[in-house]
Every structure is written in structure tokens, then in C-alpha cells.
Amino acid sequence: MTSRPGGRSARVREAVLDAVYAELIHRGYLGMTVENVADRAGVHKTTVYRRWGTVDVLIADALDHTRETDWPVPDTGTIEGDLTAIATEIADTFTDPERRQVPAAIVAAALQSTRALQAKQAFYTARHTEAAKVVTRAVERGELPPQTDPLELVRLTCAPLYYRIFVSGEPVDRTTAERAVQSALAAARTGLL
Amino acid sequence: MTSRPGGRSARVREAVLDAVYAELIHRGYLGMTVENVADRAGVHKTTVYRRWGTVDVLIADALDHTRETDWPVPDTGTIEGDLTAIATEIADTFTDPERRQVPAAIVAAALQSTRALQAKQAFYTARHTEAAKVVTRAVERGELPPQTDPLELVRLTCAPLYYRIFVSGEPVDRTTAERAVQSALAAARTGLL
């Protein structure tokens, strides 16, 4: 009946989760409904209700799906270059009024739904682990003290950007991204992490 | 008719906003309703609906009210002591299952309502400005380089805690608070901020 791996169920999931991201970008978290996601995916809305139930579960499953896909770990040759690539990706996402809808919806959903909270935690655990590779390589190259905690340096690089976005409500740009990298590296170079 | 300053309208606001915090601690953001706030405040629900309208506006007004009240700026005699007091206050709030409901609701409301977003930004602008005094005093004491940006050191101190709470979903405690202070101070001491 089908030549695609996973069959009809996997195809439906793929179509629905693509529609989740498209709807988030198009309407934002508050404007998103199960019906609109079903319409955009070309799937009957009762199918979507039965399988996912709510917008928050749709967002959680979309995030699980994204977590399972590869994220290209930067490899510029220097820790400063790699962390700048990571921080710049965050800053660029949040300066784009459409793309920023996705992480904003994830944080909002996680504050309303345990399922979404778990998906968010699993997502960031996975991405931290991936991103930590740039620190491990830097330690191997002798760029950073051997005891540096890779996860902590990743957190310190990202934290000032997310703090502005979700807490203080201040803008982020490439300058704030570079500043976050320099501050995190300064702490790492003292051997503190 | 009344001996209290501000009169009846101010008394109603005070009672309602106290009830907002009590309801947040008791039921959390998702369980909070305008009716429950009115009941707890002993105010007719139509009065609350007419003046505030939604839960998000109630939360925003409660935050405005808190912003207007004094926050005791730490003054321990050292920058490390002052920043540790600030970071510990954040960590202690978020390790308390009841008290953590308040900032979580503020972040959630700000993702859903422009009025709440503006209240949140005004709140953090005010608190950053207050907290920055500890850095200014440290610079005057010669503890930190003269060019240190007070606001940036405050942000760097708070950011790793809020990042764990709202983004990665990792726990915070006094150890993570102290680690955040040490990392922020390391960056400041290099003259980078």
C-alpha cells in the first residue's frame, strides 16, 4: 500500500507535525488550534484529536520529533567559533518574528502541560549533550582547562540570551550573543567550570 | 468614610492583588480564575471582571503593585556576598513548590498577554536597576574593574538560574546559585563586562 518507511501512521504524524510548526510560525501559540493543524496537514480532525488531543500535546510531539533529527554540531576549529555559532543561532531565531514563535510556544506549552514539560526537558538534555562535544574537543585541543564541565559551559553560553528573551524581556542580537560567549569563556578559562 | 489612604478603590485593589498571589500559591496559574480571586478578596466578581477582565491582567497588575514596593537591596560588604544573596533568593523561591508558582505564572502570562509582558519587562527593569547598586558599590570599593557594566553583571548572575528553570528544566539549588555568582564574577574580574 505504501512505499514509505513507517507506513500510513508515520506519514500522518509527519504531516501533522510539519503542520504544527507551520501553524506556530503563521499564527503563534495563542492562535493555534487542533482544527487548523488538521486542515493544514490534510488529515481529518477527529484523527488528530484522537491521537494528540490538545495543542500542547501536538507541540510536545513535534518537539520529540525534532529532537530525534540530527542537529549539526558546529566545528569551526576553535571553541570561540563553535560557541559563537551556537549563540548566534539562538539570537537569529529570536530576532526572526516568525521563527521565534516556535521556542516561545514550547516554553509556554511546558508551563501548561506536563507532557510538554517532559518533551522540553528531553529536548534540551539532548541538545546540551550534542553541543557539549564542542567543549570536549576544545579541551582535547588544549584550548580550555582539562576539568572544564562541558554541559556547564554550554548552559552559560545560552543562558544570558534566554534570560533576556523569557525573563527580562530585553532584545537579543549578535552583539549580545558574542557577549554571552565571551563571558562564558572567561569563566571557563579561569578553570572555574 | 475611610481612614486608609487611597480610599475604597485602593482597598479593593489591595485585597484583590493579595488574593491573586494567594490563589497563585494555592492553585497555580492554570487553576486560577477571576471568580476565585474575587471570592478570596471578598469583592463581587463583576467588580473584578469590570476592572481587570482576565487572569493575565490580574497577574500583570499584581506585578505592577509589587514593583512599586521596596525590594531590600543586599548590602553585605562584598560583591560576592551581595550577588550570592540575590542568586540565593532566586534559587530559594524556585525550590519552594508554592512560591515558585508566582514567577512561573508571570512568565506564562507574559507569553499570552501583551499587558502581562509589559508588566514583566517593567518589573525586571526596576529590579535590575535596584540590584545594579551592589555592583556600583563594588566598583567604588575597588572590588571590580571601573568599566564594569552593573546591569550586565546582574543579568549574568541571574541568567543561569532562570535558564535551568524556564528553558532546560533542570533543578536549581544553592550550589547552582553560588556557581552562577562565581561564573559571573569571573567574567567581571577579567574586565570584560
Side-chain angles (χ1 to χ4, degrees):
Chain A
M1 293 291 279
T2 170
S3 60
R4 289 186 52 185
R8 184 170 182 282
S9 173
R11 280 204 316 280
V12 166
R13 183 180 181 222
E14 192 94 18
V16 167
L17 300 186
D18 283 351
V20 168
Y21 284 120
E23 284 290 306
L24 275 178
I25 285 168
H26 186 58
R27 295 181 209 262
Y29 177 61
L30 291 184
M32 194 168 140
T33 65
V34 173
E35 281 87 347
N36 288 339
V37 169
D39 277 354
R40 187 182 281 265
V43 171
H44 200 282
K45 70 179 181 184
T46 47
T47 306
V48 180
Y49 272 116
R50 201 178 308 124
R51 187 152 165 190
W52 286 276
T54 66
V55 161
D56 289 337
V57 175
L58 280 167
I59 291 170
D61 197 34
L63 193 57
D64 285 344
H65 191 57
T66 303
R67 191 191 74 228
E68 293 153 13
T69 62
D70 282 347
W71 172 67
V73 181
D75 193 4
T76 63
T78 67
I79 186 64
E80 189 173 337
D82 290 350
L83 293 180
T84 301
I86 292 169
T88 302
E89 187 184 325
I90 297 168
D92 287 353
T93 298
F94 283 97
T95 43
D96 181 324
E98 294 194 334
R99 281 163 66 207
R100 69 176 294 153
Q101 299 289 340
V102 176
I106 290 159
V107 169
L111 286 164
Q112 320 238 17
S113 141
T114 307
R115 170 74 182 81
L117 179 66
Q118 289 163 345
K120 192 188 70 165
Q121 285 169 332
F123 177 82
Y124 281 99
T125 299
R127 284 297 191 267
H128 281 178
T129 305
E130 285 295 296
K133 289 177 185 168
V134 308
V135 182
T136 307
R137 286 196 305 249
V139 170
E140 285 164 6
R141 283 192 303 258
E143 275 192 282
L144 290 172
Q147 79 277 18
T148 308
D149 177 343
L151 291 176
E152 187 63 9
L153 180 49
V154 169
R155 287 189 201 99
L156 274 190
T157 302
C158 304
L161 299 168
Y162 283 102
Y163 180 74
R164 284 172 167 264
I165 293 157
F166 291 114
V167 183
S168 67
E170 296 170 282
V172 295
D173 58 19
R174 292 195 168 198
T175 303
T176 43
E178 278 159 30
R179 210 172 181 190
V181 170
Q182 293 308 327
S183 300
L185 275 177
R189 284 178 183 136
T190 64
L192 200 75
L193 304 192
Chain B
M1 291 291 281
T2 170
S3 60
R4 289 185 55 184
R8 186 173 180 280
S9 171
R11 279 205 316 279
V12 167
R13 182 180 181 220
E14 192 95 15
V16 167
L17 301 186
D18 283 351
V20 168
Y21 284 119
E23 284 290 304
L24 275 178
I25 284 169
H26 186 60
R27 297 182 209 262
Y29 178 60
L30 292 182
M32 194 170 141
T33 64
V34 173
E35 280 87 346
N36 288 337
V37 170
D39 277 354
R40 187 183 282 265
V43 171
H44 201 282
K45 69 179 180 184
T46 46
T47 306
V48 181
Y49 273 115
R50 200 176 311 123
R51 184 152 165 190
W52 288 276
T54 67
V55 161
D56 289 338
V57 175
L58 280 166
I59 291 171
D61 198 34
L63 193 57
D64 285 345
H65 191 57
T66 303
R67 191 190 75 227
E68 294 153 11
T69 62
D70 281 347
W71 173 67
V73 180
D75 193 5
T76 63
T78 67
I79 185 64
E80 189 172 336
D82 289 350
L83 293 180
T84 301
I86 291 169
T88 302
E89 186 184 327
I90 297 168
D92 288 353
T93 299
F94 283 97
T95 45
D96 182 323
E98 294 194 336
R99 279 164 64 208
R100 66 177 297 152
Q101 299 289 341
V102 176
I106 289 159
V107 169
L111 286 163
Q112 320 237 19
S113 139
T114 306
R115 171 74 181 81
L117 179 66
Q118 287 164 346
K120 193 187 68 165
Q121 285 169 330
F123 178 82
Y124 281 98
T125 300
R127 285 297 190 266
H128 281 177
T129 305
E130 285 295 294
K133 290 176 185 168
V134 307
V135 183
T136 307
R137 285 196 303 248
V139 170
E140 285 165 5
R141 284 192 302 258
E143 275 193 283
L144 290 173
Q147 79 277 19
T148 308
D149 176 344
L151 291 176
E152 186 64 8
L153 180 50
V154 169
R155 288 188 200 100
L156 274 189
T157 301
C158 304
L161 300 168
Y162 283 102
Y163 181 75
R164 285 172 167 266
I165 293 156
F166 291 113
V167 183
S168 67
E170 296 170 283
V172 296
D173 58 18
R174 292 197 167 197
T175 304
T176 43
E178 278 160 29
R179 213 172 178 188
V181 170
Q182 293 307 327
S183 300
L185 275 178
R189 284 176 182 137
T190 65
L192 201 73
L193 303 192

